Amino acid sequence: MSETLYDVVIIGGGPAGLTAGLYTSRAKLKTLLVERMILGGQVMTTTKVENYPGFPGGIDGPDLMIRFQEHCQEFGLETITGEVTGLVDHGKEKLVSVDDQEIRTRAVIITTGAEPSKLGIPGEVEFTGRGGSYCATCDGAFFRDVPVAIIGGGDTAAEEALFLSRFASKVYLVHRRDELRATKVLQDRIFANDKIEPVWNCVVEEAVGDNSGVTSLRLRNRQDDARQTLEVVGMFVAIGVTPKAHFLAKILELDKDGYILTDADCRTSITGVFAAGDVRKKILKQIATAVGDGAIAAIVAEKYLDDLEHTG
Ligand code: NAP
């Protein structure tokens, strides 16, 4: 167990976590931010962010997140890389398990975000990294002049279809309904793009391939049950996200989809433990709302610590 007692441990280094860290370190609370992989979260795999205020014309996701990190460094935010596997509440002190060490803290802010959901079909696991991908921004450039498919109908699928159209010879947008969920501005761009062909009312039943990777997808039309083979060498899955809160399932109240339940001020079911960003159940998951959450969680945590000092 570590000797150091932190005021705040933040779990996760996306926009919510970095914002919380900025606020708590600026408030001179002894803060540690634990990130499993690289700081920046899902935004690191986003090409252009067009709806975060202050950047007319948009900004690349990684560039935005590097600014967040630099801003945190100005206030001396301490960060480590490690995987949090558990959290134990001892009242005024909490223990956070990070790999093989136990970190002591008085408050915790959970900002673990969400990860891409899986289709759960045959071939999906087998071909991940060999034609199968959950990140067009990361892998799209490997698919030059070949046909690919993107699965989903939300903002992510729409943005990724547009990104893939820069490289691929053809982009099939396979959606299970006959209208997109994506925002109107993205839909307009999709329908104006000659390389993108929507495939309506279809679900993927299987990713088929050989030693070289994906060669086709087996589709089923949900209206008439007709089967169809789509000859593509890339399958990009963009069907939404799953919150990364499973390691907290026995400790915190989650909703049926695994999102952490909080009050409007980001308080969870444990006193002194807060949740912010995409891992929290809320109506809108955007960078702007993650930032707002991070700020609220930090300020409410600060008030909680202040009350602890004064009540003993
Ligand atoms: P999403 O909005 O939940 O959309 C998921 C899409 O995948 C839906 O079209 C859904 O179909 C489909 N889908 C879900 N499960 C499926 C399955 N098993 N098989 C086939 N299709 C399936 O997810 P998202 O696009 O990742 O966006 C997540 C959040 O981030 C949203 O709030 C979104 O607005 C936000 N976001 C914003 C931006 C931006 O503002 N620029 C960019 C990316 C994401 P149905 O439509 O039939 O449900």
Side-chain angles (χ1 to χ4, degrees), residues 10-192:
I10 298 168
I11 309 173
L18 289 169
T19 304
L22 172 67
Y23 273 69
T24 55
S25 46
R26 184 167 179 267
K28 304 245 181 294
L29 296 176
K30 186 161 182 54
T31 305
L32 178 70
L33 186 151
V34 186
E35 165 57 47
R36 189 171 57 146
M37 289 167 77
I38 50 165
L39 290 174
Q42 291 178 87
V43 188
M44 293 301 275
T45 60
T46 302
T47 37
K48 195 161 239 182
V49 177
E50 285 185 340
N51 56 359
Y52 189 68
F55 297 94
I59 179 168
D60 285 347
D63 290 346
L64 180 63
M65 286 301 97
I66 284 165
R67 286 177 188 235
F68 272 53
Q69 289 169 42
E70 287 171 353
H71 203 166
C72 288
Q73 280 160 10
E74 264 183 33
F75 296 107
L77 175 66
E78 190 183 338
T79 62
I80 58 164
T81 306
E83 175 142 15
V84 173
T85 51
L87 168 65
V88 181
D89 177 31
H90 292 298
K92 290 176 188 167
E93 203 173 303
K94 329 279 180 207
L95 278 185
V96 179
S97 310
V98 182
D99 297 330
D100 53 4
Q101 49 171 325
E102 304 285 337
I103 294 175
R104 297 167 58 215
T105 182
R106 299 197 299 149
V108 175
I109 301 178
I110 301 160
T111 55
T112 40
E115 60 197 346
S117 303
K118 311 282 187 293
L119 283 168
I121 54 161
E124 184 177 21
V125 174
E126 186 185 346
F127 292 112
T128 295
R130 296 195 299 129
S133 170
Y134 300 88
C135 177
T137 317
C138 318
D139 303 326
F142 297 120
F143 294 80
R144 280 179 200 275
D145 303 320
V146 290
V148 299
I150 179 128
I151 324 302
D155 284 331
T156 305
E159 281 188 347
E160 299 213 329
L162 291 164
F163 181 73
L164 286 167
S165 73
R166 295 191 207 166
F167 310 100
S169 56
K170 180 99 193 165
V171 180
Y172 295 100
L173 178 60
V174 181
H175 184 34
R176 64 184 178 183
R177 291 186 296 126
D178 62 359
E179 61 178 348
L180 299 177
R181 178 185 291 276
T183 44
K184 176 86 170 52
V185 62
L186 288 172
Q187 292 199 29
D188 289 347
R189 286 181 209 164
I190 291 281
F191 298 134

Side-chain angles (χ1 to χ4, degrees), residues 114-291:
E115 60 197 346
S117 303
K118 311 282 187 293
L119 283 168
I121 54 161
E124 184 177 21
V125 174
E126 186 185 346
F127 292 112
T128 295
R130 296 195 299 129
S133 170
Y134 300 88
C135 177
T137 317
C138 318
D139 303 326
F142 297 120
F143 294 80
R144 280 179 200 275
D145 303 320
V146 290
V148 299
I150 179 128
I151 324 302
D155 284 331
T156 305
E159 281 188 347
E160 299 213 329
L162 291 164
F163 181 73
L164 286 167
S165 73
R166 295 191 207 166
F167 310 100
S169 56
K170 180 99 193 165
V171 180
Y172 295 100
L173 178 60
V174 181
H175 184 34
R176 64 184 178 183
R177 291 186 296 126
D178 62 359
E179 61 178 348
L180 299 177
R181 178 185 291 276
T183 44
K184 176 86 170 52
V185 62
L186 288 172
Q187 292 199 29
D188 289 347
R189 286 181 209 164
I190 291 281
F191 298 134
N193 188 312
D194 291 341
K195 274 196 186 172
I196 302 175
E197 182 178 326
V199 181
W200 300 119
N201 300 311
C202 282
V203 290
V204 184
E205 286 194 321
E206 185 179 359
V208 181
D210 56 25
N211 287 340
S212 64
V214 171
T215 53
S216 66
L217 303 181
R218 280 175 42 80
L219 306 186
R220 178 176 63 83
N221 188 302
R222 295 172 72 214
Q223 289 189 323
D224 57 12
D225 248 6
R227 277 13 186 225
Q228 166 186 358
T229 297
L230 202 59
E231 308 262 333
V232 290
V233 297
M235 175 180 78
F236 291 85
V237 179
I239 59 164
V241 292
T242 305
K244 289 187 269 182
H246 29 271
F247 67 102
L248 298 164
K250 294 200 176 109
I251 317 164
L252 286 179
E253 269 180 38
L254 311 182
D255 79 347
K256 65 174 178 28
D257 298 318
Y259 288 94
I260 299 175
L261 292 169
T262 69
D263 68 8
D265 294 333
C266 297
R267 292 183 192 87
T268 69
S269 51
I270 298 181
T271 307
V273 177
F274 307 86
D278 284 8
V279 74
R280 177 172 95 84
K281 182 176 174 60
K282 59 178 178 173
I283 190 164
L284 182 66
K285 297 184 183 69
Q286 299 272 297
I287 303 171
T289 58
V291 164

